[in-house]
């Protein structure tokens, strides 16, 4: 106690005036003739251009019996187009020292590239072909399917991957968010080329998409080059079906995956919120104080004081249609319950006791500082533009961020802990079931799940 | 990853090439031996302040493996004027972000912050260079943290395989043990050992300060002098004189674990960082194993479909380099089939020149990588610091040129010289007991 007081006194003395608000990048917006919204941040210091087209074509839009279709479709965009073979796409971009690729996540699919400005023409040519003229060759489809199936089985080899699969399934159940992103051993073999073509035809349309660009290019150069590249890519009358939000489990659920490892990999998941919920920033702020970094409460108590873990963190995962708050830790098998009790105690403390003015101010400074430094690279700016576009956060998001963080009071931190609810959670643990099953019963009825069942 | 040995492993396998015009890096040497490298860049209001110590697991002895990395953890647990976790708290309260990593060759501490905090960063780093305090209770709890970090590695197939690989490939050089250390040595760690180690290696004459970002060099220099000049130099830093004998026969280990598909990891001894042949090896690696268009990926993953994934890594190190190839087989395909396919590609490199286009691709990739590498002050300072510890920070200015000078004959020559079965170690991990 004495040390804490002494520390605070010195710290208060050393606190500087709040750092100046960083100079904000200007976001230009434009709309192409096919209706595609485009956001641009011009940066001319280095001769590089980074871009990303995001589409409402993620896992959440898959038909329920077609798990894996979103990832399969996206991955095949780089596996052959009318003009380029799969090998040519990889070779041409790597020959220039650039990169281009397509991928899909829970809510969206994207095609992105990073190239030197001098190679922007080639980048656009590859990009346009991947978006507008993929051929989905049968041989590549079969190969992608067998690689996905092999990868699914191998994902059970690492406890980290196992925990991710098990925790998503335990929390989201049958909702698409609960399935392995690449599909299951049952669904993947049944996916056909016509499934891919119809998913592509329906979802890869301008009315489902937006584009973000950062780098050495002016708005007029960008507009004319994109108009040319995307000519012929037109909207349809289809509106995407809005997926349902997942139900939130109530009470306490404990899922245990048996694995012969020397630690318990633990994930404590609570209901969360959608990314565009007005309470998002507040929840993320509370999560930062709880378990966001090396001065966070979980780090200080569970790691530094009790020495129970190398890694203990909390986080907020907010997607378009639902979300979670979560705490994760890995600790030796015999410490699992001690660590969990300590974590829940810290959660309760932060929900009931106000944070000190110092902790509040230091956390604001930290987040504003992180934010200010994150504006340095094109990659993070591209991420911000994608965030703004995907969740409709408004192009003033960057300008509002610092003010929003600085507005938080101690009461906001308590309110932001709303979703970290110590009485309602899904606790998933990967580890030695024989040693963990009994002690874990203190946290709820334990269901032991075979790891093979996670990918069926 | 925070304060982690693994992060270092990844960071140091990234190469940093260079443009024609030299970077205007200013070099100073304080009377106590501290080297200071300053590079002004005013694009963004950001500064990175990094302290690079020339100490890593290569400086350790059997019986105290992991001590460099453990000491790195303790450096965040308080010094005379900043007790407890004040270092972290002050950095946070001032909008900065800090971390550290330890590798085989070095230990690096960094803090990234808004431009106005240079004085604070220098003050904190100077205090813990000279005044570290290690309370007994902190020592014990942080040791438990490091043991948990060790356990994490044991739970990953490639983590376990990599430890076996190094332990087998190196007989007497300290590169044979993991940076995190052996569990038994961690169990026998004492405060005395750590204090002695700290006093031996944490000294201005064993460190380089690298500052990159939005500051004025003369002002920065006077701040650094104010805080660091009073720290006395130590008499002599022990040299690492151990030389690994050349490997003359292939070495193998067979591991088993509950796995869906077999895993393969092999490593070849190759030349040390910044030597002429290390550049040829970099080009060879770009052609053979880097990226989707590399020979191994195109043939083994795309055409023959015998592996799920294959990757390569060129560990550039002070005493000798290490070139690794890692693969996970497709179900139904054996390790020997995968090994045979990799061997055929290596043999081809020895007998047939690479194409003009492949060579050009590797050079272009280095040139573009240099430009992309300038995006962040932090990344640039990492490259400068790493090269300085490995011999010469000016290598950042000649890197791309060295790439351009590599010929097809050089690539054939290094393939013949280093990529031989007698110079390699192979570790496999399979599900069934053989």
């Amino acid at each position: 106690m004495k040390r804490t007081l002494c520390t605070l006194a010195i710290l208060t003395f050393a606190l500087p005036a709040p750092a100046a608000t960083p100079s904000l990048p200007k976001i230009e917006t434009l709309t192409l003739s096919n209706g595609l919204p485009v956001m641009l941040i011009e940066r001319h210091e280095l001769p590089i251009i980074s871009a990303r087209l995001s589409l409402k074509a993620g896992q959440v839009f898959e038909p329920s019996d077609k798990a894996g279709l979103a990832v399969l479709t996206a991955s095949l965009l780089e596996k052959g187009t009318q003009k380029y073979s799969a090998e040519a796409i990889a070779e041409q971009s790597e020959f220039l020292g650039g990169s281009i690729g397509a991928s899909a996540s829970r809510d969206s699919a994207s095609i992105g590239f990073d190239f030197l400005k001098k190679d922007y023409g080639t980048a656009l040519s590859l990009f346009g072909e991947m978006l507008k003229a993929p051929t989905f060759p049968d041989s590549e489809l079969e190969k992608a399917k067998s690689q996905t199936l092999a990868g699914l089985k191998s994902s059970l080899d690492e406890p980290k991957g196992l925990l991710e699969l098990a925790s998503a399934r335990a929390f989201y159940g049958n909702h698409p968010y609960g399935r392995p992103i690449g599909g299951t051993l049952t669904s993947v073999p049944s996916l056909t080329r016509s499934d891919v073509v119809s998913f592509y035809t329906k979802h890869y349309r301008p009315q489902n998409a937006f584009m973000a660009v950062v780098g050495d290019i002016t708005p007029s150069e960008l507009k004319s080059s994109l108009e040319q590249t995307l000519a012929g890519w037109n909207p349809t009358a289809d509106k995407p079906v809005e997926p349902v939000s997942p139900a939130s489990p109530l009470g306490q659920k404990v899922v245990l995956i048996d694995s012969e490892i020397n630690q318990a990999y633990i994930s404590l998941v609570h209901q969360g919120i959608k990314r565009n919920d007005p309470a998002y920033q507040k929840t993320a702020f509370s999560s930062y104080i709880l378990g966001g970094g090396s001065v966070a409460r979980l780090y200080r108590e569970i790691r530094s004081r009790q020495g129970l873990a190398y890694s203990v963190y909390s986080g907020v995962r907010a997607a378009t249609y639902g979300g979670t708050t979560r705490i994760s830790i890995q600790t030796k098998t015999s410490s699992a319950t001690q660590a969990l009790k300590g974590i829940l105690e810290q959660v309760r403390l932060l929900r009931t006791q106000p944070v000190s003015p110092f902790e509040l101010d230091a956390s604001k400074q930290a987040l504003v500082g992180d934010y200010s430094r994150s504006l340095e690279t094109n990659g993070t700016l591209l991420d911000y533009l994608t965030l703004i576009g995907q969740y409709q956060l408004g192009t003033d998001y960057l300008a509002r961020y610092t003010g929003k963080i600085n507005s938080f009071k101690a009461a906001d931190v308590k309110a932001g802990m709303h979703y970290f609810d110590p009485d309602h959670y899904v606790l998933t643990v990967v580890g030695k079931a024989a040693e963990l099953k009994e002690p874990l019963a203190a946290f709820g009825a334990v269901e032991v799940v075979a790891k093979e069942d996670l990918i069926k | 990853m925070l304060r982690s040995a693994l992060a270092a492993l990844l960071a140091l396998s990234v190469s940093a090439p260079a443009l024609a015009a030299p970077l205007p890096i200013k070099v100073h040497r304080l009377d106590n031996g501290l080297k200071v490298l300053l590079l002004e860049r005013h694009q963004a209001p950001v500064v990175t302040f990094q302290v690079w110590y020339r100490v890593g697991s290569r400086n350790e002895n059997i019986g105290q493996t992991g001590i460099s990395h453990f000491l790195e953890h303790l450096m965040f647990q308080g010094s005379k004027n900043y007790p407890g976790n004040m270092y972290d708290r002050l950095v946070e309260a001032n909008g900065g972000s800090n971390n550290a990593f330890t590798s085989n060759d070095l230990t690096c501490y960094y803090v990234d912050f808004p431009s106005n905090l240079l004085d604070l960063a220098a003050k904190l780093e100077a205090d813990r260079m000279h005044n570290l305090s290690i309370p007994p209770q902190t020592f014990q709890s942080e040791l438990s943290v490091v043991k948990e970090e060790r356990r994490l590695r044991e739970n990953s197939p490639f983590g376990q395989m990599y430890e076996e690989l190094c332990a087998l490939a190196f007989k007497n050089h300290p590169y044979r043990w993991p940076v995190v250390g052996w569990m038994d040595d961690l169990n026998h760690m004492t405060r005395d050992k750590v204090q002695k180690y700290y006093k031996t290696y944490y000294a201005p004459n064993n460190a380089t300060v690298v500052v990159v970002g939005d500051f004025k060099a003369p002002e920065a220099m006077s701040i650094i002098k104010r805080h660091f000049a009073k720290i006395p130099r130590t008499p002599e830093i022990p040299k690492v004189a151990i030389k690994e004998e050349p490997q003359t026969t292939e070495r193998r280990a067979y591991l088993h674990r509950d796995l869906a598909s077999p895993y393969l990891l092999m490593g070849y001894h190759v030349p040390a960082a910044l030597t002429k042949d290390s550049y040829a090896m970099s080009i060879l690696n770009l052609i053979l194993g880097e990226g989707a268009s590399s020979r191994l990926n195109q043939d083994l993953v795309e055409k023959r479909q015998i592996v799920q994934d294959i990757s390569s890594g060129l560990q550039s190190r002070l005493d000798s380099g290490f070139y690794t190839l890692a693969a996970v087989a497709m179900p139904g395909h054996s390790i020997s089939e995968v090994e045979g396919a990799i061997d055929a590609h290596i043999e081809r490199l020895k007998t047939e020149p690479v194409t003009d286009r492949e060579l050009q691709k590797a050079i272009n990739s280095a040139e573009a990588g240099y430009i992309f590498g300038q995006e962040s002050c932090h990344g640039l300072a990492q490259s400068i610091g790493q090269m300085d510890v490995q011999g010469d920070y000016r290598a950042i200015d000649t890197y791309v040129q060295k790439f351009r000078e590599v010929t097809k004959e050089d690539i054939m020559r290094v393939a013949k010289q280093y990529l031989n079965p007698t110079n390699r170690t192979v570790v496999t991990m399979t599900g069934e007991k053989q």
Side-chain angles (χ1 to χ4, degrees), chain B residues 353-399:
Chain B
V354 299
T355 66
D356 290 336
R357 185 150 171 110
E358 283 177 313
L359 188 58
Q360 192 59 48
K361 180 178 81 169
I363 292 165
N364 290 349
S365 146
E367 289 176 352
Y370 176 74
I371 295 171
F372 283 108
Q374 304 240 345
E375 269 204 89
S376 87
C377 293
H378 178 91
L380 200 49
Q382 286 284 301
S383 302
I384 294 168
Q386 184 194 339
M387 288 186 183
D388 186 63
V389 171
Q390 291 183 334
D392 186 1
Y393 71 90
R394 290 183 198 87
I396 198 162
D397 293 325
T398 53
Y399 201 92

Side-chain angles (χ1 to χ4, degrees), chain A residues 49-60:
Chain A
I49 298 175
S50 301
R52 188 184 296 148
L53 178 84
S54 299
L55 302 124
K56 287 187 174 182
Q59 179 190 37
V60 78

Side-chain angles (χ1 to χ4, degrees), chain B residues 186-307:
Chain B
L186 294 177
N187 286 336
H188 292 94
M189 196 63 72
T190 64
R191 280 175 72 222
D192 282 351
K193 285 183 193 171
V194 178
Q195 261 151 351
K196 189 163 169 254
Y197 199 78
Y198 171 69
K199 284 199 180 113
T200 307
Y201 292 102
Y202 279 58
N205 46 318
N206 198 36
T208 299
V209 168
V210 182
V211 191
V212 176
D214 186 23
F215 62 92
K216 292 273 187 286
E219 191 198 341
M221 215 38 234
S222 79
I223 289 172
I224 289 168
K225 273 188 192 149
R226 182 157 72 241
H227 297 298
F228 284 91
K230 59 193 171 207
I231 304 174
R233 68 159 65 226
T234 55
E236 199 185 341
I237 309 291
K239 296 264 181 295
V240 176
I242 298 172
K243 235 177 127 68
E244 179 76 17
E245 287 292 313
Q247 187 173 339
T248 52
T249 55
E250 188 178 72
R251 300 170 194 163
R252 282 183 179 263
Y254 305 89
L255 311 184
H256 302 285
R257 173 196 285 236
D258 178 21
L259 291 177
S261 300
Y263 285 56
L264 168 71
L265 180 64
M266 51 171 84
Y268 296 86
H269 296 283
V270 295
L274 308 185
T275 55
K276 179 172 184 275
D277 280 358
S278 73
Y279 294 101
M281 271 306 302
S282 291
I283 298 257
L284 180 152
N285 175 43
L286 283 163
I287 293 168
L288 182 66
E290 289 274 315
S293 68
S294 67
R295 288 182 176 189
L296 289 177
N297 189 70
Q298 278 301 318
D299 188 35
L300 276 62
V301 178
E302 300 295 340
K303 297 207 171 66
R304 292 156 71 177
Q305 299 174 43
I306 59 175
V307 301

Side-chain angles (χ1 to χ4, degrees), chain A residues 94-116:
Chain A
E94 289 177 3
F95 180 77
L96 299 170
S99 66
I100 189 162
S103 62
S105 60
R106 291 228 194 279
D107 292 335
S108 62
S110 68
I111 309 176
F113 63 80
D114 303 280
F115 276 88
L116 295 180

Side-chain angles (χ1 to χ4, degrees), chain A residues 39-82:
Chain A
M39 284 179 282
L40 165 69
I41 295 176
E42 270 187 87
R43 306 243 293 176
H44 299 286
E45 290 89 353
L46 290 171
I48 52 186
I49 298 175
S50 301
R52 188 184 296 148
L53 178 84
S54 299
L55 302 124
K56 287 187 174 182
Q59 179 190 37
V60 78
F61 296 97
E62 294 167 349
S64 60
D65 57 341
K66 302 287 180 194
L69 185 55
V71 164
L72 183 64
T73 305
S75 71
L76 288 174
L77 298 181
E78 53 186 77
K79 296 298 181 188
T81 70
Q82 283 166 18

